[in-house]
Amino acid sequence: MAILLTGGAGFIGSHTAVACLNASVDVVLADNFSNSSPKVLDRIEKITGKRPALYNVDVCDKRALRDIFAERFITGVIHFAGLKAVGESVRLPLAYYRNNLDSCLSVLEVMQEFGCKEFVFSSSATVYGDQPAPLTESADTGHCSNPYGWTKFMIEQILKDAAKANPELHVVLLRYFNPIGAHESGLIGENPNGIPNNLMPYITQVAVGKLKQLTIFGDSYDTPDGTGVRDYIHVMDLAEGHLAALGYAEAHAGCEVFNLGTGKGVSVLEMVNTFSSVNGVEVPYIIGERRAGDLATVYADPAKAEQILGWHAKRTVADMCRDSWNWQKNNPNGYDG
């Protein structure tokens, strides 16, 4: 018996694979390596002493998915696979809608064929849009500001409808806030293609000398230091949240949603200064113009996950900065050295 991790070689998928294997939960990875590396498998094995099966497939391909389900006894799916860059989604909306919706529908249809009933979905706080923080799961959704966010919203609706129509389906929607950090070993971490879209890998690439400087987009927001405030969560806390969600899905039919965040907002400038202080590395930066669509303050109310899943984020901002730098300095070119 195993859990299928679609997009399992990616940043969050690989860390979740480690958390699962360390908890004696067997996993099978499916990934087309569009934003990941097959070399992560060696690193997972080095950390856990176990080498999960890995299929080089696009999970939009139902025939390839059927082969996995036919060869392995898949009891549940954690669905990470999908395109995920906000800016790119604005430029390439059709690609985002086609890939993200098709991949989820293909997985659900093949699960139904094989009687697989547990599904944990990698959703996002982007479904909330611009609403006052802290954000609870009962806040309105459907206020997305980009196609990436809309794909998450639409897939959530698909899953709610599927669970309503099939009382044997067990679905958990996990709305992430801002995952950063890396495994404490420094063997796996965030490895973006090209120029990073997210703050922490940009900071680490500036610190290691790959990029000249960080641009902070705006310092005139209504926040303590004028820079944007976000809820940053350590990727291993996030991975452990998936384990808790799996346990919940095993025992509960229907569809339930949980925020995965710390419940604390950290500004961009605070993150840069903490990174420099913890690691003793300067991060040159300039202040740029605000980006269209950026919000001033976004952070979670994670109380529901603690009350129902028994999960809460344990690692600090300093831990996130330390582990991110440990990964980057030891792997300046990601999985290629």
Side-chain angles (χ1 to χ4, degrees), residues 214-236:
L214 171 71
T215 299
I216 296 176
F217 296 106
D219 65 350
S220 59
Y221 288 103
D222 185 15
T223 63
D225 61 21
T227 64
V229 169
R230 297 292 182 270
D231 188 337
Y232 296 96
I233 178 173
H234 196 293
V235 66
M236 286 308 300

Side-chain angles (χ1 to χ4, degrees), residues 188-248:
I188 59 174
E190 191 165 7
N191 185 36
N193 289 333
I195 303 298
N197 291 293
N198 298 324
L199 176 63
M200 183 54 77
Y202 210 107
I203 289 174
T204 61
Q205 289 193 20
V206 170
V208 85
K210 289 186 71 174
L211 297 171
K212 180 182 177 182
Q213 63 190 10
L214 171 71
T215 299
I216 296 176
F217 296 106
D219 65 350
S220 59
Y221 288 103
D222 185 15
T223 63
D225 61 21
T227 64
V229 169
R230 297 292 182 270
D231 188 337
Y232 296 96
I233 178 173
H234 196 293
V235 66
M236 286 308 300
D237 279 328
L238 191 63
E240 290 161 8
H242 288 80
L243 266 177
L246 269 178
Y248 180 88

Side-chain angles (χ1 to χ4, degrees), residues 76-80 104 108 111 117-124 137 152 155-156 159-160 163 169-176 241-260 304-305 308-309:
V77 175
I78 305 180
H79 185 52
F80 297 108
C104 184
L108 284 171
M111 283 177 62
K117 299 172 183 176
E118 297 165 17
F119 190 96
V120 177
F121 177 55
S122 168
S123 192
S124 167
E137 291 85 351
K152 294 296 188 184
I155 292 169
E156 283 198 5
L159 290 166
K160 290 172 185 174
L169 193 59
H170 299 215
V171 175
V172 177
L173 312 176
L174 297 178
R175 293 176 183 160
Y176 309 165
H242 288 80
L243 266 177
L246 269 178
Y248 180 88
E250 287 175 9
H252 297 85
C255 183
E256 196 58 81
V257 58
F258 298 98
N259 286 335
L260 293 184
K304 182 179 176 183
I308 297 177
L309 300 181

